[in-house]
Coordinates of all heavy atoms in Angstrom, one line a residue:
M27 N 12.6 -10.7 20.9 CA 13.0 -10.8 19.5 C 14.1 -9.9 19.2 O 15.1 -10.2 18.5 CB 11.8 -10.4 18.6 CG 12.1 -10.4 17.1 SD 10.6 -10.0 16.2 CE 11.3 -9.0 14.9
S28 N 14.1 -8.6 19.7 CA 15.2 -7.7 19.3 C 16.2 -7.7 20.4 O 15.9 -7.5 21.6 CB 14.7 -6.3 19.1 OG 13.9 -5.9 20.2
E29 N 17.5 -7.9 20.1 CA 18.6 -7.8 21.0 C 19.0 -6.3 21.1 O 18.6 -5.5 20.3 CB 19.8 -8.6 20.5 CG 19.6 -10.1 20.8 CD 19.1 -10.9 19.6 OE1 19.8 -11.0 18.6 OE2 17.9 -11.3 19.6
A30 N 19.9 -6.1 22.1 CA 20.3 -4.7 22.4 C 21.0 -4.1 21.1 O 20.8 -3.0 20.8 CB 21.3 -4.7 23.6
G31 N 21.8 -5.0 20.4 CA 22.5 -4.5 19.3 C 21.6 -4.0 18.2 O 21.8 -2.9 17.6
S32 N 20.5 -4.7 17.9 CA 19.6 -4.3 16.8 C 18.8 -3.1 17.2 O 18.3 -2.4 16.4 CB 18.7 -5.5 16.4 OG 18.1 -6.0 17.5
V33 N 18.6 -2.9 18.5 CA 17.8 -1.7 18.9 C 18.7 -0.5 18.6 O 18.2 0.5 18.1 CB 17.5 -1.8 20.5 CG1 17.0 -0.5 21.0 CG2 16.5 -2.9 20.7
G34 N 20.0 -0.6 18.9 CA 20.9 0.5 18.6 C 20.9 0.8 17.1 O 20.8 2.0 16.7
M35 N 20.8 -0.2 16.3 CA 20.8 0.0 14.9 C 19.5 0.7 14.4 O 19.6 1.6 13.6 CB 20.8 -1.4 14.1 CG 22.2 -2.0 14.1 SD 23.3 -1.1 13.0 CE 22.6 -1.6 11.4
S36 N 18.4 0.3 15.0 CA 17.2 0.9 14.5 C 17.0 2.4 14.9 O 16.4 3.2 14.3 CB 15.9 0.1 15.0 OG 16.0 -0.1 16.4
V37 N 17.7 2.7 16.1 CA 17.7 4.1 16.5 C 18.5 4.9 15.4 O 18.1 6.0 15.0 CB 18.3 4.3 17.9 CG1 18.5 5.8 18.2 CG2 17.3 3.8 18.9
A38 N 19.6 4.4 15.1 CA 20.5 5.1 14.1 C 19.8 5.2 12.8 O 19.8 6.3 12.1 CB 21.8 4.3 13.9
S39 N 19.1 4.2 12.3 CA 18.4 4.3 11.0 C 17.2 5.2 11.1 O 16.8 5.8 10.1 CB 18.0 2.9 10.5 OG 17.3 2.2 11.5
A40 N 16.6 5.4 12.3 CA 15.5 6.3 12.5 C 16.0 7.7 12.2 O 15.3 8.5 11.6 CB 14.9 6.2 13.9
F41 N 17.2 8.0 12.7 CA 17.7 9.4 12.5 C 18.1 9.5 11.0 O 17.8 10.6 10.4 CB 18.9 9.6 13.4 CG 18.5 10.0 14.8 CD1 18.7 9.1 15.8 CD2 17.9 11.2 15.0 CE1 18.3 9.5 17.1 CE2 17.5 11.6 16.3 CZ 17.7 10.7 17.3
A42 N 18.6 8.5 10.4 CA 19.0 8.6 9.0 C 17.8 8.8 8.2 O 17.8 9.4 7.1 CB 19.7 7.3 8.6
G43 N 16.6 8.2 8.6 CA 15.4 8.3 7.8 C 14.8 9.7 7.9 O 13.9 10.0 7.1
M44 N 15.3 10.6 8.7 CA 14.8 12.0 8.8 C 15.0 12.8 7.5 O 14.3 13.8 7.3 CB 15.5 12.7 9.9 CG 15.2 12.2 11.3 SD 13.4 12.4 11.7 CE 13.4 14.1 12.2
R45 N 15.8 12.3 6.6 CA 16.0 13.0 5.4 C 14.8 13.0 4.4 O 14.7 13.8 3.5 CB 17.3 12.6 4.7 CG 17.2 11.2 4.0 CD 18.6 10.8 3.6 NE 18.6 9.6 2.8 CZ 18.5 8.4 3.3 NH1 18.4 8.2 4.7 NH2 18.5 7.3 2.6
R46 N 14.0 11.9 4.6 CA 12.8 11.8 3.7 C 11.8 12.9 4.1 O 11.4 13.0 5.2 CB 12.2 10.4 3.9 CG 10.8 10.4 3.3 CD 10.3 9.0 3.3 NE 10.7 8.2 2.1 CZ 10.5 6.9 2.0 NH1 9.9 6.2 3.0 NH2 10.8 6.3 0.9
V47 N 11.5 13.8 3.1 CA 10.6 14.9 3.3 C 9.2 14.6 2.7 O 8.2 14.9 3.2 CB 11.2 16.2 2.9 CG1 11.5 17.1 4.1 CG2 12.3 16.0 2.0
S48 N 9.3 14.2 1.4 CA 8.0 14.0 0.7 C 7.3 12.8 1.2 O 7.9 11.8 1.5 CB 8.3 13.9 -0.8 OG 9.1 12.8 -1.0
P49 N 6.0 12.9 1.3 CA 5.2 11.8 1.7 C 5.2 10.7 0.6 O 5.5 11.0 -0.6 CB 3.7 12.3 1.8 CG 3.7 13.5 0.9 CD 5.1 14.1 0.9
V50 N 4.9 9.5 1.0 CA 4.9 8.4 0.1 C 3.6 8.5 -0.8 O 2.5 8.6 -0.3 CB 4.9 7.0 0.8 CG1 4.9 5.8 -0.2 CG2 6.1 6.9 1.7
V51 N 3.9 8.4 -2.1 CA 2.7 8.5 -3.0 C 2.8 7.3 -4.0 O 3.9 6.8 -4.3 CB 2.6 9.8 -3.9 CG1 2.2 10.9 -3.0 CG2 3.9 10.0 -4.6
F52 N 1.7 6.8 -4.5 CA 1.6 5.7 -5.4 C 0.9 6.2 -6.6 O -0.1 6.9 -6.6 CB 0.8 4.6 -4.7 CG 1.5 4.0 -3.5 CD1 1.1 4.5 -2.2 CD2 2.4 3.1 -3.5 CE1 1.6 4.1 -1.1 CE2 3.0 2.6 -2.4 CZ 2.6 3.1 -1.1
R53 N 1.5 5.7 -7.8 CA 0.9 6.0 -9.1 C -0.2 5.0 -9.3 O -0.1 3.8 -9.1 CB 1.9 5.9 -10.2 CG 2.9 7.0 -10.2 CD 3.8 7.0 -11.4 NE 4.6 8.2 -11.5 CZ 4.1 9.4 -11.8 NH1 2.9 9.5 -12.2 NH2 4.9 10.5 -11.8
A54 N -1.3 5.5 -9.7 CA -2.5 4.6 -10.0 C -3.2 5.2 -11.2 O -3.1 6.3 -11.6 CB -3.4 4.6 -8.8
G55 N -4.0 4.3 -11.8 CA -4.8 4.7 -13.0 C -6.2 4.2 -12.8 O -6.5 3.2 -12.1
C56 N -7.1 4.9 -13.4 CA -8.6 4.6 -13.2 C -9.0 3.9 -14.5 O -8.9 4.5 -15.6 CB -9.4 5.9 -12.9 SG -11.2 5.6 -12.9
P57 N -9.6 2.7 -14.4 CA -10.1 2.1 -15.6 C -11.4 2.7 -16.2 O -11.7 2.5 -17.3 CB -10.3 0.6 -15.2 CG -10.6 0.7 -13.7 CD -9.7 1.9 -13.2
D58 N -12.1 3.5 -15.3 CA -13.3 4.1 -15.8 C -13.1 5.3 -16.6 O -13.6 5.5 -17.7 CB -14.2 4.5 -14.5 CG -15.0 3.3 -14.1 OD1 -14.6 2.2 -14.4 OD2 -16.0 3.5 -13.5
C59 N -12.3 6.3 -16.1 CA -12.1 7.6 -16.8 C -10.7 7.7 -17.4 O -10.4 8.6 -18.1 CB -12.4 8.8 -15.9 SG -11.1 8.9 -14.6
R60 N -9.9 6.6 -17.2 CA -8.6 6.5 -17.8 C -7.7 7.6 -17.2 O -6.7 8.0 -17.8 CB -8.6 6.6 -19.3 CG -9.3 5.4 -19.9 CD -9.4 5.5 -21.4 NE -9.5 4.2 -22.0 CZ -8.5 3.4 -22.3 NH1 -7.3 3.7 -21.9 NH2 -8.7 2.2 -22.8
G61 N -8.1 8.2 -16.1 CA -7.2 9.2 -15.4 C -6.0 8.5 -14.8 O -6.1 7.4 -14.4
R62 N -4.9 9.3 -14.8 CA -3.7 8.8 -14.1 C -3.4 9.9 -13.0 O -3.4 11.0 -13.3 CB -2.6 8.6 -15.1 CG -2.9 7.6 -16.1 CD -1.6 7.3 -16.9 NE -0.6 6.6 -16.1 CZ -0.7 5.3 -15.8 NH1 -1.7 4.6 -16.2 NH2 0.3 4.8 -15.0
F63 N -3.0 9.4 -11.8 CA -2.8 10.3 -10.7 C -1.9 9.7 -9.7 O -1.6 8.5 -9.8 CB -4.2 10.7 -10.1 CG -5.2 9.5 -10.1 CD1 -5.1 8.5 -9.2 CD2 -6.1 9.5 -11.1 CE1 -6.0 7.5 -9.2 CE2 -7.0 8.4 -11.2 CZ -6.9 7.4 -10.2
E64 N -1.6 10.5 -8.7 CA -0.8 9.9 -7.6 C -1.6 10.0 -6.3 O -2.3 11.0 -6.1 CB 0.5 10.8 -7.4 CG 1.5 10.6 -8.6 CD 2.7 11.4 -8.3 OE1 2.7 12.3 -7.5 OE2 3.7 11.1 -9.0
L65 N -1.6 8.9 -5.6 CA -2.4 8.8 -4.4 C -1.5 8.7 -3.2 O -0.5 8.0 -3.2 CB -3.3 7.6 -4.5 CG -4.4 7.6 -5.5 CD1 -5.0 6.2 -5.7 CD2 -5.5 8.6 -5.1
A66 N -1.9 9.3 -2.1 CA -1.1 9.2 -0.8 C -1.5 7.8 -0.2 O -2.5 7.3 -0.6 CB -1.5 10.3 0.1
A67 N -0.6 7.4 0.6 CA -0.9 6.1 1.3 C -2.3 6.0 2.0 O -2.9 5.0 2.0 CB 0.2 5.8 2.3
S68 N -2.7 7.2 2.5 CA -3.9 7.2 3.2 C -5.1 7.1 2.3 O -6.3 6.9 2.8 CB -4.0 8.6 4.0 OG -3.9 9.6 3.1
A69 N -5.0 7.3 1.0 CA -6.1 7.2 0.1 C -6.3 5.8 -0.4 O -7.3 5.5 -1.1 CB -5.8 8.1 -1.1
L70 N -5.4 4.9 -0.1 CA -5.4 3.5 -0.5 C -5.8 2.6 0.6 O -5.5 2.8 1.8 CB -4.1 3.1 -1.1 CG -3.7 3.7 -2.4 CD1 -2.2 3.8 -2.5 CD2 -4.3 2.9 -3.6
R71 N -6.4 1.4 0.2 CA -6.7 0.4 1.2 C -6.2 -0.9 0.6 O -6.4 -1.2 -0.6 CB -8.2 0.3 1.4 CG -8.8 1.4 2.2 CD -8.5 1.4 3.6 NE -9.1 2.6 4.3 CZ -8.5 3.8 4.3 NH1 -7.4 4.0 3.7 NH2 -9.1 4.7 5.0
L72 N -5.6 -1.7 1.4 CA -5.2 -3.0 0.9 C -5.9 -4.1 1.7 O -6.0 -4.1 2.9 CB -3.7 -3.1 1.2 CG -3.0 -4.5 0.8 CD1 -3.1 -4.8 -0.7 CD2 -1.6 -4.5 1.3
A73 N -6.5 -5.1 1.0 CA -7.2 -6.2 1.6 C -6.4 -7.5 1.3 O -6.2 -7.8 0.1 CB -8.6 -6.2 1.1
I74 N -6.0 -8.2 2.3 CA -5.2 -9.4 2.1 C -6.1 -10.6 2.4 O -6.6 -10.8 3.5 CB -4.0 -9.4 2.9 CG1 -3.1 -8.2 2.5 CG2 -3.2 -10.7 2.7 CD1 -1.8 -8.2 3.3
G75 N -6.4 -11.4 1.4 CA -7.3 -12.5 1.5 C -6.4 -13.8 1.7 O -5.2 -13.7 1.8
A76 N -7.1 -14.9 1.7 CA -6.4 -16.2 1.9 C -5.5 -16.6 0.7 O -4.5 -17.2 0.9 CB -7.4 -17.3 2.3
S77 N -6.0 -16.2 -0.4 CA -5.2 -16.4 -1.6 C -4.9 -15.2 -2.4 O -5.5 -14.1 -2.1 CB -5.9 -17.5 -2.5 OG -7.0 -16.8 -3.2
S78 N -4.1 -15.3 -3.4 CA -3.8 -14.1 -4.2 C -5.0 -13.6 -5.0 O -5.1 -12.4 -5.3 CB -2.6 -14.4 -5.2 OG -3.0 -15.4 -6.0
R79 N -6.0 -14.4 -5.2 CA -7.2 -14.0 -5.9 C -8.1 -13.2 -5.1 O -8.9 -12.4 -5.6 CB -8.0 -15.2 -6.4 CG -7.6 -15.6 -7.8 CD -8.4 -16.8 -8.3 NE -8.1 -18.0 -7.5 CZ -8.6 -19.2 -7.7 NH1 -9.5 -19.3 -8.7 NH2 -8.3 -20.2 -6.9
T80 N -7.9 -13.2 -3.8 CA -8.8 -12.4 -2.9 C -7.9 -11.3 -2.2 O -8.3 -10.8 -1.2 CB -9.4 -13.3 -1.8 OG1 -8.4 -14.1 -1.2 CG2 -10.5 -14.2 -2.4
T81 N -6.8 -11.1 -2.8 CA -5.9 -10.0 -2.3 C -6.0 -8.9 -3.3 O -5.7 -9.0 -4.5 CB -4.5 -10.5 -2.1 OG1 -4.5 -11.6 -1.1 CG2 -3.6 -9.4 -1.6
F82 N -6.4 -7.7 -2.8 CA -6.5 -6.6 -3.8 C -6.4 -5.3 -3.0 O -6.4 -5.2 -1.8 CB -7.9 -6.6 -4.4 CG -9.1 -6.6 -3.4 CD1 -9.6 -5.4 -2.9 CD2 -9.6 -7.8 -2.9 CE1 -10.6 -5.5 -2.0 CE2 -10.6 -7.8 -2.0 CZ -11.1 -6.6 -1.5
Y83 N -6.2 -4.2 -3.8 CA -6.1 -2.9 -3.2 C -7.2 -2.1 -3.8 O -7.7 -2.3 -5.0 CB -4.7 -2.2 -3.4 CG -4.3 -1.9 -4.8 CD1 -4.5 -0.7 -5.3 CD2 -3.7 -2.9 -5.6 CE1 -4.1 -0.4 -6.6 CE2 -3.3 -2.6 -6.9 CZ -3.5 -1.3 -7.4 OH -3.1 -1.0 -8.7
S84 N -7.7 -1.1 -3.1 CA -8.8 -0.3 -3.6 C -8.6 1.2 -3.3 O -7.8 1.5 -2.3 CB -10.1 -0.8 -3.0 OG -10.1 -0.7 -1.6
F85 N -9.2 2.0 -4.1 CA -9.1 3.5 -3.9 C -10.3 4.1 -4.6 O -10.9 3.5 -5.5 CB -7.8 4.1 -4.3 CG -7.5 3.8 -5.8 CD1 -8.0 4.7 -6.8 CD2 -6.8 2.7 -6.2 CE1 -7.7 4.5 -8.1 CE2 -6.5 2.5 -7.6 CZ -7.0 3.4 -8.5
T86 N -10.6 5.3 -4.2 CA -11.6 6.1 -4.9 C -10.9 7.0 -5.9 O -10.1 7.8 -5.5 CB -12.5 6.9 -3.9 OG1 -13.0 6.0 -3.0 CG2 -13.6 7.6 -4.6
C87 N -11.4 6.9 -7.2 CA -10.8 7.8 -8.2 C -11.0 9.3 -7.9 O -12.2 9.7 -7.8 CB -11.3 7.4 -9.6 SG -10.8 8.5 -10.9
P88 N -10.0 10.1 -7.8 CA -10.1 11.5 -7.5 C -10.7 12.3 -8.7 O -11.2 13.4 -8.6 CB -8.7 12.0 -7.2 CG -7.8 11.0 -7.8 CD -8.5 9.7 -7.9
E89 N -10.7 11.6 -9.9 CA -11.2 12.3 -11.1 C -12.7 12.1 -11.3 O -13.4 13.0 -11.5 CB -10.5 11.8 -12.3 CG -9.0 11.8 -12.2 CD -8.4 13.1 -12.8 OE1 -8.9 13.5 -13.8 OE2 -7.4 13.6 -12.2
C90 N -13.2 10.8 -11.2 CA -14.6 10.6 -11.5 C -15.3 10.0 -10.3 O -16.5 9.8 -10.3 CB -14.7 9.6 -12.7 SG -14.1 7.9 -12.3
G91 N -14.6 9.7 -9.2 CA -15.2 9.2 -8.0 C -15.6 7.7 -8.0 O -16.2 7.2 -7.1
A92 N -15.1 7.0 -9.0 CA -15.4 5.5 -9.1 C -14.6 4.8 -8.0 O -13.5 5.2 -7.7 CB -15.0 5.0 -10.5
A93 N -15.2 3.7 -7.5 CA -14.5 2.9 -6.6 C -13.7 1.8 -7.4 O -14.3 1.0 -8.1 CB -15.5 2.2 -5.7
V94 N -12.4 1.9 -7.3 CA -11.5 1.1 -8.1 C -11.0 0.0 -7.2 O -10.5 0.2 -6.1 CB -10.4 1.9 -8.8 CG1 -9.5 1.0 -9.6 CG2 -11.0 3.0 -9.6
R95 N -11.0 -1.2 -7.8 CA -10.4 -2.3 -7.0 C -9.6 -3.1 -8.0 O -10.0 -3.5 -9.1 CB -11.6 -3.2 -6.5 CG -11.1 -4.4 -5.7 CD -12.2 -5.3 -5.4 NE -13.0 -4.8 -4.2 CZ -13.7 -5.5 -3.4 NH1 -13.9 -6.8 -3.7 NH2 -14.3 -5.0 -2.4
K96 N -8.3 -3.4 -7.6 CA -7.4 -4.1 -8.4 C -6.7 -5.2 -7.7 O -6.4 -5.0 -6.5 CB -6.3 -3.1 -9.0 CG -6.9 -2.1 -10.0 CD -5.8 -1.3 -10.6 CE -6.4 -0.4 -11.7 NZ -5.4 0.4 -12.4
P97 N -6.4 -6.3 -8.3 CA -5.7 -7.4 -7.7 C -4.3 -6.9 -7.3 O -3.6 -6.2 -8.0 CB -5.6 -8.5 -8.7 CG -5.8 -7.8 -10.0 CD -6.7 -6.6 -9.7
A98 N -3.8 -7.4 -6.1 CA -2.5 -7.0 -5.7 C -1.6 -8.2 -5.6 O -1.9 -9.1 -4.8 CB -2.6 -6.3 -4.3
G99 N -0.6 -8.2 -6.4 CA 0.4 -9.3 -6.3 C 1.3 -9.1 -5.1 O 1.2 -8.1 -4.4
E100 N 2.2 -10.1 -4.9 CA 3.1 -10.1 -3.8 C 3.9 -8.8 -3.7 O 4.1 -8.2 -2.6 CB 4.0 -11.3 -3.9 CG 4.3 -12.0 -2.5 CD 5.1 -13.3 -2.8 OE1 4.5 -14.3 -3.1 OE2 6.3 -13.2 -2.6
R101 N 4.4 -8.4 -4.8 CA 5.3 -7.2 -4.9 C 4.5 -5.9 -4.5 O 5.0 -5.1 -3.8 CB 5.8 -7.0 -6.3 CG 7.3 -7.3 -6.3 CD 7.8 -7.0 -7.7 NE 7.8 -5.6 -8.0 CZ 8.7 -4.7 -7.6 NH1 9.7 -5.1 -6.9 NH2 8.6 -3.4 -7.9
I102 N 3.2 -5.9 -5.0 CA 2.4 -4.7 -4.7 C 2.0 -4.7 -3.2 O 2.1 -3.6 -2.6 CB 1.1 -4.7 -5.6 CG1 1.5 -4.5 -7.0 CG2 0.1 -3.6 -5.1 CD1 0.4 -4.6 -8.0
V103 N 1.8 -5.9 -2.6 CA 1.5 -5.9 -1.2 C 2.6 -5.4 -0.4 O 2.5 -4.6 0.5 CB 1.1 -7.4 -0.8 CG1 1.1 -7.5 0.7 CG2 -0.2 -7.8 -1.4
E104 N 3.8 -5.8 -0.8 CA 5.0 -5.4 -0.1 C 5.2 -3.9 -0.2 O 5.5 -3.2 0.8 CB 6.3 -6.0 -0.8 CG 7.0 -7.0 0.1 CD 8.1 -7.7 -0.6 OE1 9.1 -7.0 -1.1 OE2 8.0 -8.9 -0.8
L105 N 5.0 -3.4 -1.4 CA 5.1 -2.0 -1.7 C 4.1 -1.1 -0.8 O 4.5 -0.1 -0.2 CB 4.9 -1.7 -3.2 CG 5.4 -0.4 -3.8 CD1 6.9 -0.5 -3.9 CD2 4.8 -0.3 -5.2
L106 N 2.9 -1.6 -0.8 CA 1.9 -0.8 -0.1 C 2.0 -0.9 1.4 O 1.9 0.1 2.0 CB 0.5 -1.3 -0.6 CG 0.1 -1.2 -2.0 CD1 -1.3 -1.7 -2.3 CD2 0.1 0.3 -2.4
T107 N 2.3 -2.1 1.9 CA 2.4 -2.2 3.4 C 3.7 -1.4 3.8 O 3.7 -0.7 4.8 CB 2.5 -3.6 3.8 OG1 3.6 -4.3 3.1 CG2 1.2 -4.4 3.6
G108 N 4.7 -1.4 3.0 CA 6.0 -0.7 3.3 C 5.7 0.8 3.2 O 6.4 1.6 3.9
G109 N 4.8 1.2 2.4 CA 4.5 2.6 2.3 C 3.4 3.2 3.3 O 3.0 4.3 3.2
G110 N 3.0 2.3 4.2 CA 2.1 2.7 5.2 C 0.6 2.7 4.9 O -0.2 3.4 5.5
V111 N 0.3 1.9 3.8 CA -1.1 1.8 3.4 C -1.9 1.0 4.5 O -1.4 -0.1 4.9 CB -1.3 1.2 2.0 CG1 -2.7 0.9 1.7 CG2 -0.7 2.1 1.0
R112 N -3.1 1.4 4.8 CA -3.9 0.7 5.8 C -4.2 -0.7 5.2 O -4.7 -0.9 4.1 CB -5.2 1.4 6.1 CG -6.0 0.8 7.2 CD -7.1 1.7 7.6 NE -6.6 2.9 8.3 CZ -7.3 3.8 8.8 NH1 -8.6 3.7 8.8 NH2 -6.8 4.9 9.4
T113 N -4.0 -1.7 6.0 CA -4.1 -3.1 5.5 C -5.2 -3.8 6.3 O -5.3 -3.7 7.5 CB -2.8 -3.9 5.7 OG1 -1.8 -3.2 5.0 CG2 -3.0 -5.3 5.1
L114 N -6.1 -4.5 5.6 CA -7.1 -5.3 6.2 C -6.9 -6.7 5.9 O -6.8 -7.1 4.7 CB -8.5 -4.8 5.6 CG -9.7 -5.5 6.1 CD1 -10.1 -5.1 7.5 CD2 -10.9 -5.1 5.2
R115 N -6.9 -7.6 6.9 CA -6.7 -9.0 6.6 C -8.1 -9.7 6.6 O -8.8 -9.7 7.6 CB -5.8 -9.6 7.6 CG -4.4 -9.2 7.4 CD -3.4 -9.8 8.3 NE -2.1 -9.1 8.1 CZ -1.2 -9.4 7.2 NH1 -1.4 -10.4 6.4 NH2 -0.1 -8.7 7.1
L116 N -8.4 -10.2 5.5 CA -9.8 -10.8 5.3 C -9.9 -12.2 5.8 O -11.0 -12.6 6.3 CB -10.1 -10.8 3.8 CG -10.2 -9.5 3.1 CD1 -10.5 -9.6 1.6 CD2 -11.3 -8.6 3.7
H117 N -8.9 -12.9 5.8 CA -9.0 -14.3 6.2 C -8.8 -14.4 7.7 O -8.0 -13.7 8.3 CB -8.0 -15.2 5.5 CG -6.5 -14.8 5.7 ND1 -5.7 -15.5 6.6 CD2 -5.8 -13.8 5.2 CE1 -4.5 -14.9 6.5 NE2 -4.5 -13.9 5.7
S118 N -9.5 -15.3 8.4 CA -9.3 -15.5 9.8 C -8.2 -16.4 10.0 O -7.2 -16.4 9.3 CB -10.6 -16.0 10.4 OG -11.2 -17.0 9.6
T119 N -8.3 -17.3 10.9 CA -7.2 -18.2 11.2 C -7.1 -19.3 10.1 O -8.1 -19.7 9.5 CB -7.4 -19.0 12.6 OG1 -8.7 -19.4 12.6 CG2 -7.2 -18.0 13.7
L120 N -5.9 -19.7 9.8 CA -5.6 -20.6 8.8 C -5.9 -22.1 9.3 O -5.5 -22.4 10.4 CB -4.2 -20.5 8.2 CG -3.9 -19.2 7.4 CD1 -2.4 -19.1 7.2 CD2 -4.6 -19.3 6.1
Ligands
ZN209 ZN1 -11.9 7.7 -12.7

C-alpha cells in the first residue's frame, strides 16, 4: 500500500508532529448532573455498530459517576478515532 515516497513523507510529518505537547481532550457534558468537563481519549469508549443508531460513545461522568452513552455521528466518530479513543466494532461481517 505505501510506496517509498509516502514513507518518507510520514517520517517527516512524524517529526513535525513533535510540537504537540498537550494530550488530546474532548469536551463532554453529563445529562445527569449537568456537569461539563474535559475527558482524555483514554476515558472515552467508542462503539461502532452496523448503523448510525447503534454507533455511540460512552464515558463515566467524573462528577457523579453516571455511565453516559451518547449517539455518535460520522463527524464524532472521525474526531474520536483520530484522537486515539479506543474503538469497539460491534457488528461482525457485513
Ligand atoms: Zn454526572
Side-chain angles (χ1 to χ4, degrees):
M27 179 180 145
S28 53
E29 281 96 67
S32 54
V33 169
M35 282 292 286
S36 53
V37 169
S39 53
F41 280 110
M44 292 297 279
R45 73 189 185 282
R46 168 175 270 172
V47 252
S48 59
V50 180
V51 290
F52 298 94
R53 289 192 173 279
C56 174
D58 273 26
C59 68
R60 298 177 155 278
R62 297 189 68 77
F63 34 80
E64 291 183 342
L65 293 168
S68 59
L70 289 151
R71 292 286 180 276
L72 176 65
I74 298 179
S77 76
S78 57
R79 265 181 299 183
T80 50
T81 299
F82 55 88
Y83 66 96
S84 60
F85 58 88
T86 302
C87 174
E89 308 267 321
C90 71
V94 181
R95 179 185 281 201
K96 291 187 175 185
E100 218 170 282
R101 251 185 66 83
I102 295 178
V103 169
E104 247 174 64
L105 200 73
L106 295 180
T107 53
V111 172
R112 185 170 295 184
T113 306
L114 179 73
R115 289 184 189 274
L116 297 177
H117 60 101
S118 43
T119 48
L120 287 170

